[in-house]
Amino acid sequence: MEETMYELFAPLRVGKTTLPNRLVMAPMTRSRSVDRSVNALTAEYYAQRAGAGLIITEGTQPSVIGQGYIDTPGLHSAEQAAAWRGVTDAVHAAGGRIFVQLMHSGRVGHPSLYPDGALPLAPSAIATGGQMYTPEGKVDHPVPREMTLEDIARTVEDFVSAAQYAVEAGFDGVELHGANGYLIQQFLADGSNHRTDVYGGSVENRVRFADEVARAVSDAIGPERVGIRLSPGSTSEGVSESDPAGLYRTLIRTLAPYNLAYVHIMEFGHREVTELIRAEWPGTLILNPHRTGAEPSVTPEAALQVVRDGLADAVSIGSLWLANPDLDRRIQAGGPYNTPDPSTFYGGDHRGYTDYPTLSA
């Protein structure tokens, strides 16, 4: 099996970081930061998975108003950065590499998450139509407050500040979450962005916010430490894009001169847009492959195929990493694999978090 899968275990240069293999641990929300800060259990969880070529953390809010779910971690204070240092130290001690995903959820939020009870922010005052889980049950996402130009400038600075805290916390880099219906994609998507100023309307205007965030963060910490995640054609959290091919062609051409560490695509079908991005993007491409959007979790075989076909340089895998802390070794051995337990995905204690057995155990 190791000989069959050898392409997945070839080293890969990503920015200034050399990955020992092309198996990336995808970002996965686990909702175990009850005080908005990570802890020793978080450090154990990520260190167990240090055999990944690269770990990308769960979505981490760059500001108070950027939070979209209960018990998710932040990176907007010195105390939070110090807590994350315990995670990065543990991962590095285990031989791993780790980027933090900076995720501003935009309109995917609720006043109950924020100390001042504010409305969540978004490019336009359009609700998701979805709901959020709370300890008291589900609540509707409210109609968000449309961001002013001052709000937009402040949010760009929030991303920069969080990236600087990430460097202070010892991360190898940051991933900007521009996918899955969160703030950056809310600006990109014409279904959620009805603005009439320089941030709305034309494709060139709708990519402006993503461009400003990527450029500002790259200027602050170096582009070799910055990746971005995209999900062309995704309808997550109620977003819609009328022309994904045209949108992402423009975005990739806008970002290409910055020499970012990578682009990370979460496919929801639209393989033709993945192929377009592959052709347009001059750097490293990480793919979470779902050709039709209906496939189950990414398998080692699917990962191998897209690398072997040249569609991606590395592959991100989600639930298999969640349930198999030594996934790299299991792939080399041809399995077997632990089965993920969905009932423990979000919230709780060590169960379904740090207690999945390794192959040797």
Side-chain angles (χ1 to χ4, degrees):
M1 180 60 69
E2 184 174 357
E3 292 179 0
T4 302
M5 295 280 184
Y6 76 92
E7 290 101 327
L8 295 179
F9 293 90
L12 176 67
R13 188 77 169 172
V14 176
K16 287 188 175 180
T17 304
T18 298
L19 312 187
N21 63 61
R22 297 173 184 237
L23 298 165
V24 175
M25 178 177 165
M28 291 175 283
T29 295
R30 303 306 308 273
S31 297
R32 283 169 165 84
S33 298
V34 294
D35 57 356
R36 298 179 176 84
S37 287
V38 294
N39 50 46
L41 196 63
T42 318
E44 181 183 357
Y45 167 72
Y46 284 117
Q48 287 176 341
R49 290 154 179 80
L54 175 66
I55 293 171
I56 305 173
T57 74
E58 60 212 278
T60 300
Q61 55 261 14
S63 61
V64 172
I65 199 67
Q67 186 172 0
Y69 303 94
I70 59 173
D71 297 338
T72 55
L75 191 48
H76 47 84
S77 73
E79 293 76 17
Q80 290 170 334
W84 274 114
R85 169 62 80 168
V87 174
T88 62
D89 283 351
V91 169
H92 290 149
R97 291 134 301 273
I98 184 167
F99 275 41
V100 61
Q101 186 188 71
L102 299 180
M103 171 183 142
H104 192 304
S105 63
R107 65 182 186 171
V108 182
H110 192 270
S112 63
L113 293 170
Y114 318 124
D116 60 357
L119 287 170
L121 301 178
S124 299
I126 303 170
T128 69
Q131 295 182 310
M132 185 189 84
Y133 287 93
T134 74
E136 289 74 40
K138 289 183 179 180
V139 294
D140 293 337
H141 289 145
V143 175
R145 180 170 68 80
E146 181 171 311
M147 296 171 74
T148 64
L149 295 181
E150 291 76 15
D151 290 327
I152 291 172
R154 187 180 308 112
T155 301
V156 172
E157 287 305 310
D158 287 339
F159 274 102
V160 169
S161 177
Q164 291 170 329
Y165 274 128
V167 173
E168 180 182 318
F171 283 102
D172 298 297
V174 305
E175 178 177 279
L176 306 174
H177 199 344
N180 295 81
Y182 300 117
L183 184 63
I184 292 176
Q185 191 179 19
Q186 290 163 28
F187 272 93
L188 294 173
D190 49 354
S192 52
N193 182 349
H194 291 188
R195 300 179 72 92
T196 58
D197 61 7
V198 297
Y199 291 94
S202 69
V203 172
E204 290 74 17
N205 281 354
R206 285 185 280 116
V207 305
R208 190 182 306 275
F209 179 68
D211 176 31
E212 290 181 352
V213 172
R215 184 171 68 249
V217 172
S218 296
D219 287 346
I221 67 171
E224 70 280 358
R225 287 175 163 169
V226 182
I228 187 167
R229 192 183 209 209
L230 307 171
S231 57
S234 165
T235 57
S236 297
E237 305 297 348
V239 298
S240 60
E241 298 167 344
S242 61
D243 179 18
L247 171 61
Y248 287 93
R249 179 185 291 110
T250 300
L251 177 61
I252 291 299
R253 289 179 177 177
T254 301
L255 297 178
Y258 302 148
N259 297 314
L260 302 181
Y262 64 80
V263 164
H264 178 191
I265 299 175
M266 172 66 194
E267 274 191 325
F268 288 87
H270 300 279
R271 176 57 61 88
E272 73 284 355
V273 183
T274 302
E275 293 169 343
L276 180 156
I277 293 173
R278 182 58 164 171
E280 294 279 353
W281 179 246
T284 299
L285 187 117
I286 301 171
L287 178 63
N288 189 272
H290 293 85
R291 177 186 287 274
T292 69
E295 296 91 341
S297 301
V298 178
T299 64
E301 291 74 22
L304 175 64
Q305 192 62 54
V306 295
V307 171
R308 186 169 283 174
D309 290 346
L311 186 61
D313 299 296
V315 179
S316 65
I317 300 175
S319 59
L320 270 184
W321 272 118
L322 181 154
N324 296 274
D326 56 345
L327 181 61
D328 56 317
R329 295 179 181 177
R330 289 177 182 267
I331 290 175
Q332 287 176 315
Y337 303 103
N338 297 324
T339 300
D341 176 10
S343 70
T344 60
F345 281 0
Y346 306 108
D349 52 20
H350 70 286
R351 289 168 291 188
Y353 191 52
T354 59
D355 65 345
Y356 282 104
T358 61
L359 190 60
S360 58

